Amino acid sequence: MAFRLLSYIGEKGLPRAGLLMQDETVLDVEGVLKALQADVEGLCPTSVLSLLENWDHVLPVLRDGARNGREAPSAWVGSLSEIQLTAPVLYPPNLYCAAANYVDHSKEMKDGSLPDKSQARPFFFTKLPRQTVIGPEESIQIPYPEAQVDWEAEIGVVIGRPCRRAPASEAMKYVAGYVIMNDVSDRARNFRKDWFFKFDWLGGKSFNTSAPMGPWITPKELIGDPHNLSIRLWVNEELMQNASTRDMYFTIPEQIEYLSELLTLLPGDVIATGTPPGVGHARGLYLKAGDVVTITIEGLGSIRNPVVAGY
């Protein structure tokens, strides 16, 4: 039976791993495993990160739990509308973000044409997960009064197995699932004028709350083609981004191939695969306190985040 993997706030105010069923009821993973008398050595059943670190062993158990776990009273949490979600992975070991991976986005940012794929590799920067990752309904904080805070809707790829030197033809074997990601950016600090370096990826990308993520992880098996999903973003009621992942320049397998040449991808790592056109900077528009950002990606759900002054 189909399920989504999420993190929710439990009775003691601590995050717990949960399964979202098709009827929008939520089951507690620890309760499901107890009901099934399933024991995975070294697993912390309350942690989605631990589940991903044991993905090959856990996935069949979660499928079984989705079929039979609702019969166990200890597994029942409630309906989705009754619980508070957090970011599904607390926290990804690493968060890799692809830059300029949609042709039309590169054009709107006046960066010109993307390089010939036969002559170039994907371009990545990182965000610091523990400071940047927030979940649904958590607030995006504008870091200082002059910040030019922008939105970037992206599909995030969640790694489920250690991955080193994986060719593109085998790269998808290492994917556990997909998540919605907002690569929130401060354009004022992204472009530097006080140095001969043109870009400041740390200053422009890794400020507090700059990586909204959620609402859950959709297992890979439930998404037929991640390169053919509609991706939309609204600021308040205005549709700002409306595109398809089919327009991605470097594909997910190509991105995994490149990253895994550099280093070992770890279970729980998230790869944000780039944003389509429609960002605010191209139009001189930026987020302000009181705004609400909503992202919907086909098959992955929706994530909503209010905007507040964080200074």
Side-chain angles (χ1 to χ4, degrees):
M1 179 178 288
F3 69 88
R4 270 70 175 175
L5 183 61
L6 55 79
S7 291
Y8 72 97
I9 299 298
E11 291 182 359
K12 297 182 179 181
L14 298 175
R16 296 183 63 86
L19 299 181
L20 176 66
M21 302 293 98
Q22 289 178 310
D23 63 359
E24 296 199 340
T25 59
V26 176
L27 305 180
D28 182 76
V29 169
E30 185 176 32
V32 167
L33 297 184
K34 286 181 179 178
L36 297 176
Q37 297 183 333
D39 184 26
V40 178
E41 185 177 357
L43 176 69
C44 175
T46 62
S47 165
V48 168
L49 179 57
S50 184
L51 296 174
L52 292 167
E53 291 171 340
N54 294 275
W55 193 243
D56 287 342
H57 300 293
V58 165
L59 181 57
V61 180
L62 295 181
R63 292 185 185 128
D64 190 16
R67 285 190 296 269
N68 305 307
R70 69 181 61 226
E71 300 173 6
S74 62
W76 179 264
V77 177
S79 67
L80 179 62
S81 62
E82 296 171 339
I83 69 169
Q84 179 183 347
L85 296 178
T86 71
V89 188
L90 295 170
Y91 288 89
N94 300 286
L95 179 50
Y96 303 102
C97 301
N101 198 40
Y102 285 74
V103 173
D104 288 342
H105 173 56
S106 181
K107 289 179 179 178
E108 75 175 351
M109 296 296 283
K110 298 181 174 58
D111 292 332
S113 300
L114 292 176
D116 186 334
K117 287 177 67 173
S118 66
Q119 305 295 321
R121 309 301 302 279
F123 188 100
F124 279 94
F125 58 91
T126 61
K127 284 183 179 249
L128 304 177
R130 292 188 66 87
Q131 292 91 339
T132 63
V133 170
I134 59 173
E137 300 298 333
E138 292 187 66
S139 296
I140 297 169
Q141 299 177 17
I142 298 175
Y144 58 97
E146 297 79 23
Q148 297 176 339
V149 178
D150 203 351
W151 55 85
E152 296 190 21
E154 311 196 10
I155 179 172
V157 177
V158 184
I159 298 298
R161 301 164 65 189
C163 178
R164 178 71 168 142
R165 296 191 179 94
S169 60
E170 299 181 9
M172 297 304 287
K173 296 178 182 179
Y174 299 91
V175 175
Y178 307 100
V179 68
I180 295 173
M181 164 82 183
N182 189 352
D183 174 21
V184 179
S185 307
D186 177 10
R187 305 301 186 187
R189 282 185 172 158
N190 213 169
F191 303 97
R192 294 291 290 263
K193 297 180 180 179
D194 57 336
W195 274 85
F196 49 81
F197 300 113
K198 183 178 180 181
F199 296 106
D200 182 350
W201 294 104
L202 179 66
K205 297 289 190 174
S206 269
F207 53 96
N208 287 348
T209 73
S210 62
M213 187 181 298
W216 41 69
I217 297 169
T218 299
K220 174 181 63 176
E221 62 200 62
L222 300 183
I223 301 298
D225 182 3
H227 302 97
N228 190 28
L229 305 177
S230 65
I231 179 169
R232 293 176 292 170
L233 179 147
W234 293 261
V235 176
N236 304 320
E237 302 300 321
E238 186 173 356
L239 181 62
M240 296 295 189
Q241 292 185 279
N242 185 12
S244 171
T245 58
R246 77 171 69 93
D247 299 323
M248 202 179 293
Y249 193 59
F250 288 100
T251 66
I252 292 169
E254 289 168 339
Q255 293 184 37
I256 292 174
E257 178 182 70
Y258 171 70
L259 286 170
S260 69
E261 287 179 6
L262 297 176
L263 40 77
T264 301
L265 293 172
L266 302 175
D269 281 354
V270 175
I271 302 170
T273 55
T275 197
V279 300
H281 184 69
R283 292 170 279 184
L285 299 175
Y286 304 104
L287 295 174
K288 61 185 183 301
D291 286 340
V292 177
V293 182
T294 305
I295 301 173
T296 297
I297 298 181
E298 183 180 357
L300 306 188
S302 298
I303 183 172
R304 176 185 181 276
N305 297 96
V307 180
V308 301
Y311 48 85

